[in-house]
Amino acid sequence: MASALPSAVDLYESSEGRRIFNEHRRYAAPVAPVRLVEENFRLRQCDWARLFMYTTEPPGIIPVLAEAPAAMRDVFGQGARPFLDIVNDPEEDWEMLFVTIPTAELPDVALDLLERLDAEWFADAARRCAFRMMVTVETTPVVKMAVRFLRELR
């Protein structure tokens, strides 16, 4: 069955048209970012439309997000998939993508690991995405319960 869509060559008539077509066609193919997010992250305070809008604004966060899973595994080990949250403050007029790493580590250990991640990867990565992304940690409910229990014993 032949496609009803015109071929790419039929969409432009000049070298300038070809340049513009090639420059913009990558934005029409969101398959790679979708696969990246589905395989490595979980959406929490974020939906697909909002995520697409935020990650397509220059400078792109997608290359930094693509590096994140390996960098986080190197420091935190294999664990639960991080959450993606888009947080905004309309009064202060800012919006930021938060990558939250769930961990079973005690809070002090988790913060030490976060500092290591920052030193090894995120300090540079944040600059490359114009500080439009933040990485943080969140202890699992079991750890929170254990910490609360230990505090009550004191």
Side-chain angles (χ1 to χ4, degrees):
M1 178 175 183
S3 173
L5 297 173
S7 77
V9 185
D10 296 333
L11 296 175
Y12 50 83
E13 297 177 0
S14 66
S15 59
E16 178 65 9
R18 180 182 184 153
R19 184 192 66 74
I20 291 170
F21 174 79
N22 285 326
E23 180 180 317
H24 294 284
R25 77 177 175 174
R26 69 179 179 271
Y27 298 115
V31 174
V34 168
R35 185 175 298 134
L36 169 70
V37 170
E38 284 184 338
E39 291 176 359
N40 297 287
F41 302 96
R42 292 180 286 171
L43 299 181
R44 190 165 53 181
Q45 294 178 15
C46 180
D47 60 39
W48 282 106
R50 207 161 160 214
L51 182 65
F52 278 128
M53 286 174 42
Y54 192 79
T55 58
T56 57
E57 294 172 4
I61 290 179
I62 295 297
V64 173
L65 269 180
E67 299 169 3
M72 290 183 284
R73 263 191 313 276
D74 289 348
V75 174
F76 286 87
Q78 297 288 0
R81 291 187 310 167
F83 295 103
L84 295 181
D85 302 304
I86 293 183
V87 178
N88 67 8
D89 184 341
E91 291 179 7
E92 296 290 325
D93 193 33
W94 63 265
E95 184 173 57
M96 186 170 295
L97 177 67
F98 277 78
V99 178
T100 304
I101 306 167
T103 181
E105 299 291 346
L106 292 172
D108 291 344
V109 174
L111 290 175
D112 288 344
L113 290 171
L114 184 61
E115 285 180 14
R116 183 176 148 207
L117 180 69
D118 186 57
E120 292 179 8
W121 171 73
F122 188 66
D124 176 61
R127 286 177 183 83
R128 287 185 281 124
C129 67
F131 301 97
R132 295 180 61 237
M133 185 173 105
M134 179 62 64
V135 177
T136 188
V137 292
E138 179 178 279
T139 55
T140 60
V142 172
V143 171
K144 291 176 186 175
M145 208 166 51
V147 168
R148 197 174 316 122
F149 177 74
L150 291 173
R151 285 185 182 147
E152 289 175 3
L153 287 178
R154 293 183 186 167

